[in-house]
């Protein structure tokens, strides 16, 4: 049984460029979550899906961020026109609902915007 | 709105000493409660969770936590610290009414263990 995987693990980009991250959840999990974590802080919720439906999106998420989960399996998170403030670790997690909410996390994608 | 407060951004203990990491939450109804651990350059790993039933929850690596509704607390303890326990620890809550849903995390507590 493989865990949650994320690709790439590291991404360095220049300000203004677009980036896309991929997350592959645990295969039978119907929920998929995206979080962002900056240095010295706890993860901050961005958005989540149940199957292919996006059920909630953080009000803190700007319009430059978009996420998809087209077939209810893997998900992509795109950031357009990156800014230096977007530099962070982007975490993906998955869970099986309804089972009490335990989420399994991937290793994260570390984004550095120069 | 739910929130989590972890008292102390950094805790230092000697090897073999008691570990106590504090977590208080704010929620209109008792939420699901979690403790996660994050080792350097690794993802978050679940230590333990409380959903229902017994309020004293045992987790991996000898950790346990007790849900105290009256104090809105979920403190994490371990009787005897080991060097390998050095890591960042996060307390988190999620909405019971949504069968879980998003996690709201505290700011984290970095645990150092001195030989």
């Amino acid at each position: 049984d493989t865990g949650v995987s994320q690709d790439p693990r590291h991404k360095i980009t220049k300000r203004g460029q677009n980036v896309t991250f991929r997350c592959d959840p645990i295969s039978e999990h119907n929920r998929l979550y995206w979080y962002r974590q900056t240095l010295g802080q706890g993860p901050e919720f961005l958005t989540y899906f149940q199957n292919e439906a996006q059920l909630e999106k953080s009000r803190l998420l700007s319009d430059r961020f978009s996420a998809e989960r087209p077939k209810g399996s893997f998900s992509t998170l795109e950031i357009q026109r990156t800014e230096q403030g977007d530099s962070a670790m982007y975490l993906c997690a998955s869970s099986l609902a309804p089972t009490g909410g335990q989420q399994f996390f991937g290793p994260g994608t570390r984004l550095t915007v120069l | 709105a739910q929130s989590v407060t972890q008292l102390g951004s950094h805790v230092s203990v000697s090897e073999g000493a008691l570990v106590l990491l504090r977590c208080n939450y704010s929620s209109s109804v008792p939420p699901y409660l979690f403790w996660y651990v994050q080792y350097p350059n690794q993802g978050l790993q679940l230590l333990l969770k409380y959903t229902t039933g017994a309020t004293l929850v045992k987790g991996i690596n000898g950790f346990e936590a007790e849900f105290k509704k009256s104090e809105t607390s979920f403190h994490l303890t371990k009787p005897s610290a080991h060097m390998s326990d050095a890591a960042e620890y996060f307390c988190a809550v999620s909405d019971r009414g949504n069968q879980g849903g998003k996690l709201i995390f505290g700011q984290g507590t970095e645990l150092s263990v001195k030989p």
Side-chain angles (χ1 to χ4, degrees), chain B residues 50-102:
Chain B
Y50 171 77
T51 56
T52 188
T55 56
L56 181 61
V57 180
K58 295 187 184 297
I60 62 172
N61 301 338
F63 285 94
E64 62 182 36
E66 185 171 11
F67 167 57
K68 292 187 176 181
K69 182 179 178 180
S70 62
E71 298 177 8
T72 60
S73 68
F74 192 56
H75 301 329
L76 181 71
T77 60
K78 182 173 180 177
S80 177
H82 191 273
M83 296 295 291
S84 60
D85 294 327
E88 187 90 22
Y89 292 80
F90 294 96
C91 181
V93 301
S94 68
D95 183 1
R96 180 178 297 273
N98 192 25
Q99 304 164 351
K102 66 186 178 189

Side-chain angles (χ1 to χ4, degrees), chain A:
Chain A
D1 180 27
T2 58
V4 178
S5 62
Q6 294 186 244
D7 184 69
R9 294 292 305 276
H10 303 273
K11 179 69 176 179
I12 299 174
T13 191
K14 293 182 179 180
R15 188 174 51 190
Q17 298 294 305
N18 298 343
V19 294
T20 300
F21 309 140
R22 175 180 170 123
C23 172
D24 286 88
I26 294 172
S27 59
E28 65 269 25
H29 284 184
N30 53 0
R31 285 190 174 177
L32 186 149
Y33 307 79
W34 285 100
Y35 296 86
R36 177 173 61 191
Q37 185 179 22
T38 54
L39 199 62
Q41 299 296 316
E44 175 188 37
F45 169 76
L46 295 178
T47 188
Y48 89 95
F49 296 83
Q50 180 152 319
N51 300 314
E52 62 273 13
Q54 189 172 19
L55 295 189
E56 187 173 354
K57 185 175 177 179
S58 169
R59 286 172 290 177
L60 301 175
L61 208 60
S62 79
D63 292 342
R64 296 184 297 106
F65 287 72
S66 62
E68 294 182 342
R69 194 183 184 199
K71 297 182 180 180
S73 56
F74 73 92
S75 175
T76 57
L77 177 68
E78 181 182 17
I79 308 174
Q80 296 182 327
R81 305 180 303 281
T82 53
E83 302 173 355
Q84 288 187 324
D86 297 330
S87 295
M89 178 74 85
Y90 290 83
L91 300 171
C92 177
S94 68
S95 71
L96 182 63
T99 55
Q102 179 181 344
Q103 297 180 21
F104 295 81
F105 282 81
T109 294
R110 181 168 296 282
L111 172 66
T112 302
V113 181
L114 302 176

